[in-house]
Amino acid sequence: MEKVIYPMAEGKCRICGSSAQVMRITEFNLKVCLPCYPRFFERRVRRALEKYDMIGEGDRVLVALSGGKDSAALLFALKRLSASMGFDLLATHFHLNMGDFSDRNLALVEEQASKAGVDLRVVRIGELGLRVAKVKGWKPCAVCGAIKRALMNREARASGANVLATAHTLEDMLLFAFKNLLSRRHYLPPPVLDPIGDLPKKVKPIMFTSERHTLQYCLLRDIPHFPEKCPVWSPKGHSLKEVFETLEKTVPSGKLQLLLSLMEIMPPREEYMWRPTGACPSCGEPTSQPLCPICQLSEWFASQREKERA
Ligand code: SF4
Ligand code: ZN
């Protein structure tokens, strides 16, 4: 793969001031030379961490690592910032029980964690009696999302992490906001969700960073990333992203400005925030239902297996 995805031009690098071949970062109308780009990316991440008070000295931060470019870029950027900012970093990955695909995915994630020098905790959902499938009225991606959200909380607690960092990008945030707007649900999750009880603080350090940036960072820092799409992935759920790309082509920096505007007009609303109401009687995890999502789903899959055997 080409190492540079931004258009190149002669010019002066905004970071080091040297005249050289520079990338035109169209999102910010700014020029950066290739050696400076990774530092430019890390500076942007650091600015988000500091501006929103996401991570501080002495924190223990868990990154949910899928293997894709976004979470890989987040892990490596945080690793570089961890020494100067004084926080600990570890990663978790969920093996989604999708046969060879999940095995290849895990192998790549192990390579990433080892290259970053970060401890990795792996959870195999198959060992919890779970898989990604349609469950009652829920589509597989909704089931997968529920499993991952619950496991992230569980893993943060089990690893002693007080901060959970997820790799939601600018495009993910816009997609989420637009889906909500289109169903007249005026809610956009904030950059930081404060800890509730035993649940960790949740932060989104690259929510102002586009996916082109994360890919460019991975390419220039030689960060391996998993190139395959999940077998369940469908372009339909992501086609709104094309609207944002068209916006960006028409109005440079349009995606970021749109997100910042939406944050102003859609402040966090309590009624849309998940709050546990007690502990799951089966496993003790926080839940707002009679059973936590993991226990509900594993009971459902167990009953399906019973029916199949009968
Ligand atoms: Fe999970 Fe795959 Fe759906 Fe992503 S595309 S939410 S990994 S099932
Ligand atoms: Zn439970």
Side-chain angles (χ1 to χ4, degrees):
M1 186 186 250
E2 281 283 327
K3 283 244 165 187
V4 180
I5 54 177
Y6 281 99
M8 296 294 290
E10 288 290 329
K12 208 170 187 182
C13 169
R14 176 76 72 87
I15 309 286
C16 68
S18 66
S19 295
Q21 278 281 316
V22 285
M23 286 188 283
R24 281 197 294 119
I25 313 290
T26 41
E27 286 96 335
F28 306 113
N29 192 22
L30 107 120
K31 294 172 181 154
V32 181
C33 70
L34 295 192
C36 281
Y37 180 86
R39 275 189 294 133
F40 164 72
F41 181 92
E42 288 149 12
R43 273 207 323 215
R44 280 186 55 76
V45 175
R46 182 169 188 147
R47 207 173 304 148
L49 297 184
E50 289 174 344
K51 180 171 179 186
Y52 294 96
D53 197 15
M54 292 184 178
I55 296 175
E57 201 173 343
D59 279 336
R60 187 166 165 82
V61 182
L62 180 70
V63 174
L65 192 57
S66 71
K69 64 186 187 330
D70 302 327
S71 57
L74 174 63
L75 182 81
F76 279 74
L78 287 181
K79 179 64 187 177
R80 284 189 171 256
L81 296 170
S82 62
S84 61
M85 292 183 71
F87 61 85
D88 274 348
L89 189 65
L90 64 160
T92 185
H93 173 72
F94 308 133
H95 180 284
L96 293 176
N97 195 13
M98 295 187 195
D100 291 349
F101 168 82
S102 296
D103 294 342
R104 287 194 300 277
N105 193 173
L106 173 58
L108 197 280
V109 165
E110 285 172 340
E111 187 187 339
Q112 287 173 334
S114 139
K115 190 165 179 187
V118 169
D119 284 344
L120 175 69
R121 300 169 60 92
V122 176
V123 181
R124 292 174 176 270
I125 69 165
E127 291 174 0
L128 302 171
L130 301 172
R131 62 192 163 84
V132 174
K134 203 168 163 216
V135 173
K136 299 180 205 162
W138 289 22
K139 291 184 177 160
C141 286
V143 172
C144 178
I147 293 172
K148 287 193 286 198
R149 276 191 299 278
L151 287 180
M152 278 189 239
N153 285 332
R154 194 177 277 209
E155 278 299 288
R157 291 192 332 142
S159 62
N162 64 323
V163 181
L164 175 65
T166 54
H168 293 95
T169 59
L170 176 54
E171 289 82 359
D172 292 331
M173 297 305 292
L174 287 174
L175 186 63
F176 190 86
F178 266 63
K179 284 185 174 170
N180 274 349
L181 276 176
L182 295 175
S183 51
R184 304 186 69 183
R185 202 168 173 260
H186 298 162
Y187 174 62
L188 180 60
V192 174
L193 285 169
D194 290 331
I196 312 170
D198 280 348
L199 297 174
K201 178 177 176 182
K202 292 177 185 152
V203 302
K204 304 181 191 71
I206 57 169
M207 66 175 271
F208 303 105
T209 301
S210 81
E211 291 172 10
R212 282 216 295 179
H213 280 284
T214 61
L215 177 59
Q216 186 64 78
Y217 181 71
C218 287
L219 293 173
L220 290 177
R221 279 262 184 250
D222 280 327
I223 300 169
H225 53 282
F226 195 54
E228 297 177 47
K229 288 240 186 293
C230 163
V232 178
W233 188 88
S234 135
K236 213 171 134 208
H238 296 255
S239 48
L240 253 181
K241 286 190 178 176
E242 286 165 26
V243 175
F244 309 139
E245 294 315 316
T246 306
L247 169 71
E248 187 71 35
K249 278 187 201 129
T250 319
V251 183
S253 193
K255 286 192 287 194
L256 180 60
Q257 296 311 321
L258 178 61
L259 180 65
L260 294 173
S261 294
L262 288 171
M263 284 171 70
E264 282 169 15
I265 58 174
M266 298 204 296
R269 286 172 57 176
E270 274 295 314
E271 69 264 39
Y272 290 130
M273 296 204 190
W274 180 75
R275 295 262 181 263
T277 49
C280 172
S282 177
C283 70
E285 285 294 309
T287 181
S288 56
Q289 305 274 324
L291 280 180
C292 76
I294 299 289
C295 291
Q296 272 182 57
L297 285 166
S298 61
E299 273 194 4
W300 189 85
F301 282 117
S303 71
Q304 290 303 106
R305 285 192 294 274
E306 279 297 311
K307 276 188 202 156
E308 279 159 23
R309 270 197 292 269

